[in-house]
């Protein structure tokens, strides 16, 4: 059996996407972004959101035409050719596997810093076992996790904004990081928006995909943007761009500065819960792309087998889970996140280029064109190490394509 079961509704799809977007990144990404953009942080957030909109629009259009697992791997293969599909799938699988390790490590560092790597590996193994039990159960867990995280983030942001420590003048204090800094901040912040890709990769398991997929993608993106904007305003108002740039745990520091010391423990627990939710959704997306690539022979075909009773690709889930467990036990989260950002932008560049071919009218091609150029530009603005490693991995993907062909 190689067909997946259509069991997810709109709420399930939105929950999976949100749990991937509103994950551990929101607890750490605003510091580095503020260091790059300064008081222009909100401009970087707006650029990241605009790029995410282009990617979401292209993904939604393509997902309706090709409602099967694999996301941009399928879109690139069908619209641009086998090579571009392979490159997109390679970027997604490798980049998101690194992201899975980063999310697992976030759990480890928040839960038990002295033993972060063993905790991370154990978390990855436990969530792999959960996914093996069936995607419906994973989606239910994702819905609970994302509800808790959003409630805590919104509550903390509102409390900080309304506290005496908040000063609206800090939102734009004049210490901007320049155009390149804003682009780099957009690249870092984009990492937190990329969860809607998981919705597209679950297309073969969604009921009524032509109606559900576009609604789920845009609804998840809109909710995430609203939450991020509220959190960014709260952090800038309380800490300022300078204080935010030097903070390793900005939400916890903002809670302390706002006179909410009891909220620090809540933030720590919520960060761990958010990372678990993001890791759960990431494991689902990566394994489904592995299934799609295996069906076409880019990976061993045995990985495409779907368990008839549970309706899940057991072999693909196990392989991805084992790789993530090993990566969680050996990598550091900073390196994993930088590389993952570059790979995800390469993935979306292919998706936008594929969407360009859907409609020859100039008006219909504006969004895909902006998305393609934006992905390339923002990817190249990332730190030099992330760019160089990313280019090497893409080159390895080209070699892998030559071998499998």
């Amino acid at each position: 059996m190689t067909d997946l079961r259509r069991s997810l509704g709109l709420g399930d799809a939105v929950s999976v996407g949100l749990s991937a977007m509103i994950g551990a990144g929101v607890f750490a990404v605003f510091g580095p972004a503020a260091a790059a953009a300064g008081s222009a942080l909100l401009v970087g957030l707006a650029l990241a959101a605009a790029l995410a909109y282009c990617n979401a629009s292209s993904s939604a259009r393509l997902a309706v035409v090709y409602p099967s697992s694999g996301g941009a791997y399928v879109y690139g293969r069908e619209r641009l050719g086998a090579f571009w599909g392979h490159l997109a799938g390679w970027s997604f699988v490798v980049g998101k596997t690194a992201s899975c390790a980063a999310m697992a490590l976030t759990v480890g560092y928040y839960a038990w810093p002295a033993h972060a790597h063993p905790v991370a590996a154990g978390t990855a193994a436990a969530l792999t076992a959960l996914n093996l039990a069936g995607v419906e159960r994973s989606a239910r867990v994702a819905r609970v996790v994302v509800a808790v995280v959003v409630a805590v983030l919104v509550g903390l942001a509102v409390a900080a904004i309304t506290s005496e420590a908040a000063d609206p003048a800090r939102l734009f204090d004049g210490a901007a990081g320049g155009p390149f800094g804003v682009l780099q901040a957009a690249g870092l912040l984009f990492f937190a928006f990329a969860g809607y890709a998981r919705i597209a990769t679950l297309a073969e398991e969604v009921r009524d995909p032509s109606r559900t997929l576009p609604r789920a993608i845009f609804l998840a993106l809109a909710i995430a943007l609203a939450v991020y904007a509220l959190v960014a305003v709260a952090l800038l108002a309380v800490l300022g761009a300078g204080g935010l740039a030097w903070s390793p745990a900005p939400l916890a520091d903002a809670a302390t500065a706002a006179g909410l010391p009891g909220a620090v423990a809540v933030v720590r627990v919520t960060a761990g819960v958010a990372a678990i939710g993001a890791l759960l959704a990431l494991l689902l997306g990566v394994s489904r792309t592995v299934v799609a690539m295996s069906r076409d022979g880019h990976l061993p075909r045995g990985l495409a087998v779907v368990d008839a009773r549970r309706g899940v690709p057991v072999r693909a889930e196990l392989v991805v889970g084992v790789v993530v467990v090993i990566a969680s036990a050996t990598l550091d989260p900073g390196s994993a996140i930088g590389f993952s950002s570059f790979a995800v932008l390469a993935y979306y560049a292919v998706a936008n280029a594929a969407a360009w071919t859907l409609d020859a009218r100039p008006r219909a091609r504006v969004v895909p064109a902006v998305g393609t150029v934006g992905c390339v530009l923002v990817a190249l603005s990332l730190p030099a190490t992330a760019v160089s490693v990313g280019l090497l991995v893409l080159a390895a993907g080209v070699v892998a394509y030559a071998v499998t062909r």
Side-chain angles (χ1 to χ4, degrees), residues 48-90:
L51 184 57
Y53 170 80
C54 293
N55 296 339
S57 177
S58 295
S59 297
R61 292 174 61 195
L62 289 160
V64 171
V65 179
Y66 304 103
S68 59
S69 289
Y73 164 69
V74 175
Y75 313 150
R77 180 194 66 197
E78 297 296 325
R79 306 302 306 185
L80 303 174
F83 170 77
W84 294 104
H86 171 87
L87 197 62
W90 177 270

Side-chain angles (χ1 to χ4, degrees), residues 93-142:
V93 170
V94 177
K96 288 305 178 182
T97 298
S99 188
C100 285
M103 296 300 99
L105 284 166
T106 299
V107 177
Y109 280 110
Y110 271 90
W112 198 355
H115 301 278
H117 286 280
V119 172
T123 300
L127 293 184
T128 298
L130 177 62
N131 281 342
L132 289 173
V135 69
E136 299 96 329
R137 297 180 187 180
S138 300
R140 285 198 293 270
V141 172

